[in-house]
Amino acid sequence: AKADGRGTYCVFDSRMDAVLKDQRELETELREAIANGEISLEFQPVYSVEDWSIVSAEALARWNHPTRGPISPETFIPLAEECGLIGELEAQVLQQACEAALQWPSHICVAVNLSPLQFHSGSLPSRVIDTLESTGFPPERLQMEVTESLLIQDVDRTFEQLEALRAHGIQVLLDDFGVGYSSLSYFQRFTFDRVKIDRSFVNEIDRSHTAKAIVEAIVRLGRKLQMGVVAEGVETEEQMHVLSAMGCTHLQGYFLSRPVNSKLVSRASLQNVA
Ligand code: C2E
Ligand code: CA
Ligand code: CA
Ligand code: CA
């Protein structure tokens, strides 16, 4: 091919076409997967540092594509957000999570992740409460994980809806704390039940003084404000020891348990990691 501008653009265009076509195909397939109930869940246990028992498990969405194989939620969650499918997807996640957790020992809570887009319509609290009522799941056993990114738009409306959830007895957790658009002023406006320290700090804890200082500061803040502090992404025994010695109240990560199927949550809760 000639190295003229036109040729270059043609190649570029056809590549872009291929990417877009693939994206559209994936979108169609995701739509079908949701309609057919093919989104499933795994649950990753969260351990109490006090006695190393399992206190909750986080529902993580899974899509095992028939030909492409497992697709990461880092791919299909943003796709669902882009093409207006996130409401339906997360409605299914919540429903499945409640049904699964009803089979667990009754002291174990279930956590679900919430897309920031869910707060746009204003109807989230009533939809969540409807699901709790129809499944018979106790609100006190439900935790909703929200990320800081959700708090940059429409702050007042978002806080109102978080208040409504909390007034109903649902626990609200601040996920991925410390990355993105962190603002300490959120704590003046809303009482989170727990903060989850992002795993980028947890990962560095035994190598970096800075990461250690940040975790220490979050732990102190949690104590003062009476919020639990969860360290996520704990991958080694050493991290586990350091983080529990530093005063994190809860730990989660591959070292303690990978995400597992619902039945294994019950089974694991009968064992003790210590
Ligand atoms: P997240 O909420 O921060 O969830 C934790 C992610 O870290 C999960 O990835 C989990 O499998 C992984 N993880 C847990 N322990 C470790 C560890 O020790 N080391 C490492 N390297 N990773 C660990 P997963 O399941 O791929 O989910 C990725 C993200 O997708 C989640 O991050 C969450 O933001 C999103 N996601 C999953 N399900 C849902 C959902 O139903 N709704 C929404 N909005 N987002 C979801
Ligand atoms: Ca989460
Ligand atoms: Ca997280
Ligand atoms: Ca994350």
Side-chain angles (χ1 to χ4, degrees):
K2 273 184 228 146
D4 65 2
R6 208 166 161 265
T8 313
Y9 280 120
C10 280
V11 171
F12 183 69
D13 274 352
S14 67
R15 266 193 217 133
M16 282 299 283
D17 278 352
V19 169
L20 286 174
K21 185 159 169 277
D22 202 52
Q23 183 85 358
R24 274 197 302 272
E25 255 173 41
L26 200 61
E27 180 185 324
T28 306
E29 288 164 354
L30 179 60
R31 202 176 292 277
E32 282 166 7
I34 293 169
N36 298 336
E38 286 164 18
I39 303 298
S40 63
L41 297 180
E42 281 188 320
F43 297 90
Q44 189 177 29
V46 175
Y47 294 77
S48 162
V49 163
E50 224 167 83
D51 59 1
W52 299 109
S53 63
I54 294 176
V55 294
S56 61
E58 177 180 0
L60 295 161
R62 297 290 179 253
W63 179 20
N64 194 358
H65 190 281
T67 55
R68 299 177 204 249
I71 296 177
S72 165
E74 315 257 19
T75 302
F76 71 79
I77 295 288
L79 183 61
E81 287 175 329
E82 273 163 41
C83 53
L85 294 169
I86 194 70
E88 176 56 23
L89 191 158
E90 286 188 347
Q92 289 185 12
V93 167
L94 179 63
Q95 170 96 21
Q96 284 186 55
C98 291
E99 284 167 0
L102 279 172
Q103 309 301 314
W104 303 344
S106 62
H107 65 277
I108 301 181
C109 299
V110 69
V112 297
N113 292 285
L114 264 188
S115 163
L117 297 184
Q118 292 270 40
F119 290 89
H120 284 185
S121 70
S123 65
L124 180 80
S126 62
R127 283 182 283 140
V128 170
I129 291 163
D130 284 350
T131 305
L132 290 173
E133 279 166 5
S134 70
T135 55
F137 193 73
E140 298 74 25
R141 286 181 64 196
L142 178 64
Q143 302 178 336
M144 310 216 85
E145 299 194 0
V146 301
T147 54
E148 293 166 290
S149 64
L150 114 159
L151 298 169
I152 48 176
Q153 280 181 355
D154 227 343
V155 182
D156 293 323
R157 252 160 68 89
T158 303
F159 277 121
E160 260 167 44
Q161 294 175 70
L162 293 178
E163 285 300 351
L165 292 171
R166 213 159 173 265
H168 200 75
I170 296 160
Q171 301 173 55
V172 179
L173 278 55
L174 186 55
D175 200 1
D176 299 346
F177 185 64
V179 294
Y181 303 89
S182 309
S183 168
L184 295 172
S185 69
Y186 298 148
F187 296 119
Q188 282 194 306
R189 312 212 25 195
F190 185 75
T191 312
F192 291 95
D193 293 279
R194 283 179 196 164
V195 285
K196 298 186 79 171
I197 303 175
D198 192 72
R199 69 163 188 264
S200 56
F201 303 113
V202 171
N203 252 279
E204 294 280 303
I205 198 81
D206 32 22
R207 288 192 291 269
S208 151
H209 285 295
T210 312
K212 209 170 169 183
I214 291 168
V215 172
E216 273 164 1
I218 299 174
V219 166
R220 262 203 302 279
L221 187 70
R223 270 216 194 103
K224 291 272 186 198
L225 301 182
Q226 295 179 319
M227 298 180 295
V229 176
V230 188
E232 66 174 19
V234 180
E235 291 185 350
T236 68
E237 186 168 12
E238 181 170 6
Q239 288 168 359
M240 181 181 90
H241 289 311
V242 172
L243 290 158
S244 58
M246 285 170 79
C248 292
T249 59
H250 300 88
L251 302 184
Q252 182 184 30
Y254 291 168
F255 182 74
L256 292 131
S257 171
R258 295 215 161 227
V260 295
N261 75 43
S262 173
K263 285 198 180 81
L264 278 176
V265 174
S266 297
R267 209 174 303 163
S269 73
L270 302 172
Q271 292 153 5
N272 217 297
V273 285

